[in-house]
Amino acid sequence: MKGIARRAVLGLALALLAAPSGAQTAGAKGPATARVRIETSLGPIIVELDMKRAPITSANFLAYAAEKRFDNTSFYRAARNRSDPKLGLVQGGIDSKVRKARWPIDHEPTSKTGLKHVDGTISMARHAPNTAMGDFFITVGPAAYLDAAPGKPGYAAFGRVVSGMPLVRRILAAPTWPGGRSQNTIGQHIKDPVKIITVRRLK
């Protein structure tokens, strides 16, 4: 009897090892996109995240939203194109505040995801690859210079604005201070940052 019981237990163990786990099955069938509402002091911006092509970056953004780390932050930077001030990008998020930060994430370059920086793209701000945390930006107009290229890691695009681009353009046009925190941000910091009230997932 003991031998039969032992063989039965072994057979069950082998069957469990061969079967796919519930987590793996659920992950394979997860949603391809997720919509998020960024409620600002000027109104809402709705973005659609590409969870299929940029899973790490999208999951990070959703985690910040779920943990309310984006609440009471702001859009604080308006980087306007020198040749055409109506083009550029607006940057928002935790503004590098450590108390609101999660761990940095792996970089997902556009050369890997296939996403591009076009008008209305949402992408991650960072200092170097694998340092992105809770600061992001939205492009106004095409911005291919932010895409990855040979010898250039680029930035991690992970979705697009589906509603609220007029508001994004309004933020880009906001008055800025003449100075900057670095040579690259001179004249780009908004005098009256646009408050991000809440960020919540819609579906």
Side-chain angles (χ1 to χ4, degrees), residues 1 6 37 51 55 59 61 75 79 112 117 151 157 179 184:
M1 292 295 290
R6 189 177 293 110
R37 181 186 180 99
M51 299 178 68
F61 191 87
F75 281 102
K112 176 181 177 182
H117 288 88
N184 293 330

Side-chain angles (χ1 to χ4, degrees), residues 15 19 47 125 152:
V47 295
K152 188 179 78 169

Side-chain angles (χ1 to χ4, degrees), residues 51-74:
M51 299 178 68
K52 184 177 181 180
R53 291 192 286 177
I56 296 172
T57 315
S58 296
N60 177 68
F61 191 87
L62 291 174
Y64 272 88
E67 295 168 7
K68 301 181 180 180
R69 294 174 185 261
F70 285 136
D71 291 11
N72 300 312
T73 58
S74 66

